[in-house]
Amino acid sequence: MIQYHFIEELPNNLHGQPILISWIDSLQFHQIEYLLIKDRNMMSIYEIRYKESLSPFKDALIRGDMLAVGHQDYFYLFDLTTNKHITKLRVWGYFGSLYREKEYIYIADSYWIYCINKYGKVLWENKELGIDGVIINKFTKDEIHGEWEWDPPNGWQRFIVNKHTGKWL
């Protein structure tokens, strides 16, 4: 089972340098967090540089040879085989959660949901969901069921959107 840990300091037993996944333009930023991935006897570490802390939410998942990471106000897709950046997407407000459904990755931020394919292409985005958080609760064959915060605090409302287009149902 793969374990993901976001840490602020490098482990003492690290051999080599962490791999930068926040793209070369992030080297100007001084805030750094590391993503430690453990799987049986393997340990990998990735570096994420960011300008400012906007959100406590962060998430990572591996889908095939792709590492998907949501952190602060960005989503990154990174090819683990070639160690190359696939895509960098600035999310609206702050990153919320990652979801995997079949061959797609869904990103929820403070306002929207994005659907990304394995090549990092945004297939659709729904810009009409919330103002302080979006949560996906379940996927059906053609639908995404979730909740969106419209009137904070505790103003959560349910939604259903088309899984293939992102449009309201």
Side-chain angles (χ1 to χ4, degrees):
M1 181 170 158
I2 299 175
Q3 298 176 353
Y4 307 94
H5 304 281
F6 288 90
I7 56 177
E8 294 181 10
E9 294 183 19
L10 290 172
N12 292 333
N13 60 345
L14 177 67
H15 302 290
Q17 293 292 321
I19 299 168
L20 181 71
I21 61 170
S22 55
W23 293 62
I24 196 80
D25 60 348
S26 71
L27 288 174
Q28 64 183 314
F29 303 136
H30 299 291
Q31 296 195 59
I32 302 172
E33 194 160 4
Y34 301 97
L35 171 60
L36 176 66
I37 301 176
K38 293 182 180 180
D39 183 17
R40 296 187 196 124
N41 298 327
M42 181 211 62
M43 181 175 84
S44 302
I45 191 139
Y46 300 89
E47 181 177 318
I48 304 165
R49 289 180 170 253
Y50 57 101
K51 185 175 183 177
E52 59 187 328
S53 183
L54 300 169
S55 169
F57 308 115
K58 48 195 115 183
D59 201 0
L61 62 86
I62 293 177
R63 190 186 154 280
D65 293 333
M66 300 295 177
L67 170 62
V69 178
H71 186 272
Q72 297 302 330
D73 56 342
Y74 280 94
F75 165 79
Y76 307 102
L77 189 62
F78 188 80
D79 188 316
L80 296 170
T81 304
T82 62
N83 279 342
K84 291 193 177 185
H85 300 95
I86 302 302
T87 198
K88 172 177 77 169
L89 171 69
R90 186 163 191 181
V91 297
W92 191 256
Y94 58 81
F95 168 78
S97 300
L98 291 177
Y99 303 89
R100 180 177 58 197
E101 165 65 6
K102 299 189 179 178
E103 68 270 19
Y104 302 107
I105 297 171
Y106 296 86
I107 305 155
D109 66 20
S110 56
Y111 297 90
W112 303 353
I113 294 176
Y114 309 81
C115 176
I116 309 285
N117 70 11
K118 65 182 179 179
Y119 304 107
K121 180 179 179 190
V122 176
L123 300 178
W124 59 258
E125 51 191 42
N126 182 312
K127 300 179 181 181
E128 306 169 327
L129 288 175
I131 62 169
D132 193 22
V134 177
I135 298 170
I136 295 175
N137 295 325
K138 75 174 182 176
F139 294 93
T140 65
K141 180 181 176 205
D142 296 313
E143 300 171 341
I144 298 172
H145 295 250
E147 297 174 71
W148 48 287
E149 175 79 74
W150 188 249
D151 187 19
N154 301 319
W156 290 91
Q157 296 184 17
R158 293 182 183 174
F159 70 82
I160 301 173
V161 295
N162 182 299
K163 186 166 66 173
H164 310 290
T165 65
K167 295 187 190 274
W168 284 88
L169 295 177

